[in-house]
């Protein structure tokens, strides 16, 4: 966990005071909605279909038990008793009243949480691997560098009014759980031949109307130079990024139009002017940030405790353990992923009661720490293996032990037309129906790892372009129509999916997905061949022929 210092606390509290005054002037009519819009966006407040939506940042996906309890309090006191975890390590509240927003911000500030830069054309929440600091084989904890970038870019005057929103993600493992290749800047921690820490820097990734996978702009930037290099990228983007056309304003369009070589030269030229400046990071700065992260005092524990051995006789426990428990870098401990995708439930939602109970479980079993992943699930990062049976029983009582992590019903979905003013089609009901169709865990395990992503419009908040199966809802002649893609992925081998055929109506989507899955089961070479590998081997056509043959 990271401990805020006095500067952080002062900044957050001043922001609350400023926003309280802005809301007061809006409610009195002193500010018009147009004048208020840019102010509320800088504090994570959107005006959606039915009410204001409040988006709260969870930097690099790390929460304490006290912070999760406070989010539960916000859900219960100011909203309708639940929150929605997003694909960028934020949480959204969809029914909050404008007059009560300053009080909600003040309540969050007491535990070091804020909503700064969770919307608007600025640097958004810096995201990272939800297993940061505990994943075996990791180069080092990427949250140290995430925090450095958070501090540098928060309310940075030069980058508070960029051409469009800007997103950075950082990973330090071979397996990319932070989806860095679909971000404006993706940073992968690496070591050079001298054993020094640095970054492979990728740029120009993003989804939406014009999706691109990020390209490597530099294979190694030393850690001491990462601020100046990121700033050089931002300066080039700020100078050349288009402000005349919102659809062409993201850095991915600039990189595409200039070409990666010319864009790289522009960044390199700018970097040479600033790399030796005050932006160069001293080791003391890194160590100061590192010292503000507290790490658990792990016990020396056996690899296979008696409690775990005895619980293995219970098939339900074993099904959950094999699906939701991952290896930890410290012997005797595990990382537990908590699925927020129950059968028939909206993906990513948690009730206030569940959040309160999870905070208690985190204190009891995970040193008071919870993580939020971009797949819209939560994780307890420090669970002793001896405690796994007791934790499972407690999660099961809360409805949080669904063993479907990374399986077909572990669906990523945006709020869609049920909440979002930009959406053209519903996402949540599609996801709910699919979880019912694939509720049988034996069938889901037979299918194996398969990610479905659903977006209710071309803005792609559900990341449909990179779903193994992607579902995009659009409006056509006043009707909801859904396009299906296959072959996308968001990991270290990130790729965009390909369309398999004409769009289908709302009531046909689940049937089509079942047909895609049946085609996969018939086409795969062996049970171990994953859906994504079958698509890579065969291409789209065999699926298209089978799925659309009778339509």
């Amino acid at each position: 966990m990271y401990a805020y210092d006095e500067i952080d606390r002062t900044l957050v509290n001043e922001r609350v005071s400023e926003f309280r005054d802005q809301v007061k002037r809006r409610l009195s009519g002193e500010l018009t909605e147009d004048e208020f819009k840019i102010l509320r966006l800088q504090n994570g407040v959107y005006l959606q279909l039915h009410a204001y939506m409040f988006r709260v940042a969870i930097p690099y996906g790390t929460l304490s038990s006290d912070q999760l309890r406070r989010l539960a309090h916000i859900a219960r006191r100011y909203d309708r008793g639940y929150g929605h975890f997003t694909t960028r390590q934020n949480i959204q509240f969809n029914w909050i009243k404008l007059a009560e927003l300053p009080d909600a911000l003040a309540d969050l500030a007491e535990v070091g949480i804020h909503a700064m830069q969770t919307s608007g054309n600025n640097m958004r929440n810096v995201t990272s691997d939800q297993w940061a600091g505990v994943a075996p084989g990791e180069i080092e904890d990427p949250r140290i560098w995430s925090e450095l970038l958070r501090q540098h870019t928060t309310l940075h005057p030069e980058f508070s009014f960029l051409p469009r929103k800007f997103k950075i993600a950082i990973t330090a493992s071979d397996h990319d759980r932070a989806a860095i290749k679909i971000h404006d800047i993706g940073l992968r921690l690496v070591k050079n031949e001298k054993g020094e820490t640095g970054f492979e820097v990728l740029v120009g990734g993003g989804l939406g109307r014009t999706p691109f996978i990020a390209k490597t702009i530099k294979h190694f930037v030393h850690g001491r130079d990462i601020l100046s290099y990121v700033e050089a990228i931002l300066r080039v983007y700020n100078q050349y990024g288009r402000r005349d056309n919102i659809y062409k304003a993201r850095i991915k369009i600039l990189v595409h139009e200039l070409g990666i070589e010319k864009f790289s030269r522009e960044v390199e030229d700018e970097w040479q002017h600033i790399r030796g400046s005050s932006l160069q990071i001293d080791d003391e700065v890194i160590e100061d940030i590192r010292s503000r992260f507290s790490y658990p005092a792990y016990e020396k524990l056996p690899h296979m405790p008696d409690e775990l051995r005895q619980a293995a006789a219970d098939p339900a426990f074993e099904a959950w353990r094999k699906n939701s428990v991952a290896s930890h870098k410290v012997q005797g401990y595990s990382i537990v992923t908590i699925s927020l995708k129950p059968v028939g439930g909206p993906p990513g939602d948690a009730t206030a009661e569940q959040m309160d109970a999870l905070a208690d479980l985190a204190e009891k079993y995970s040193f008071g720490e919870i993580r939020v992943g971009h797949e819209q699930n939560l994780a307890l990062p420090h669970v002793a293996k001896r405690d796994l049976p007791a934790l499972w029983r407690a999660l099961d009582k809360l409805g949080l032990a669904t063993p479907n992590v990374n399986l077909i019903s572990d669906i990523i979905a945006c709020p869609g037309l049920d909440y979002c003013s930009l959406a053209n089609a519903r996402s949540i009901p599609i996801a709910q129906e699919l979880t019912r169709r694939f509720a049988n865990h034996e069938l889901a395990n037979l299918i194996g790892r398969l990610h479905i992503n659903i977006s209710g419009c071309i803005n792609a908040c559900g990341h449909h372009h990179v779903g193994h199966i992607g579902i995009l809802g659009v409006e056509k002649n006043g009707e909801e129509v859904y396009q299906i893609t296959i072959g996308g992925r968001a990991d270290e081998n990130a790729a965009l999916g390909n369309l398999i055929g004409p769009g289908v109506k709302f009531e046909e989507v689940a049937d089509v997905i079942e047909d895609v899955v049946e085609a996969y089961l018939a086409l795969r070479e062996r049970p171990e061949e994953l859906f994504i590998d079958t698509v890579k081997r065969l291409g789209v056509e065999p699926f298209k022929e089978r799925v659309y043959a009778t339509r």
Side-chain angles (χ1 to χ4, degrees), residues 342-372:
V343 175
D349 280 12
T351 66
E353 289 72 25
Q354 287 175 325
M355 287 190 268
D356 273 337
L358 267 177
D360 293 344
L361 291 175
E363 271 184 351
K364 190 171 183 180
Y365 297 118
S366 187
F367 296 90
E369 193 171 326
I370 306 100
R371 304 288 181 84
V372 182

Side-chain angles (χ1 to χ4, degrees), residues 87 182 207-211 412-414 427 451-474 482-490 495-499:
T87 54
I182 58 171
L207 301 177
R209 186 177 299 267
T210 313
I412 293 175
C414 72
S427 299
H451 296 164
I452 295 179
N453 293 43
I454 309 173
S455 298
C457 77
I458 196 61
N459 290 301
C461 292
H463 296 182
H464 65 276
H465 296 293
V466 291
H468 294 175
I469 298 176
I471 302 173
L472 166 63
V474 298
Y482 294 81
Q483 299 174 352
I484 313 296
T485 56
I486 61 173
R489 59 195 302 171
L496 302 175
N498 293 298
L499 201 62

Side-chain angles (χ1 to χ4, degrees), residues 188-216:
R188 188 170 71 88
L189 270 159
V190 293
K191 295 281 188 183
N192 66 8
E193 62 279 4
K194 297 178 183 176
E196 297 169 317
T197 300
F199 296 86
E200 178 188 359
V201 181
L202 300 94
V203 68
L207 301 177
R209 186 177 299 267
T210 313
F212 286 106
I213 299 299
K215 299 175 178 64
T216 297

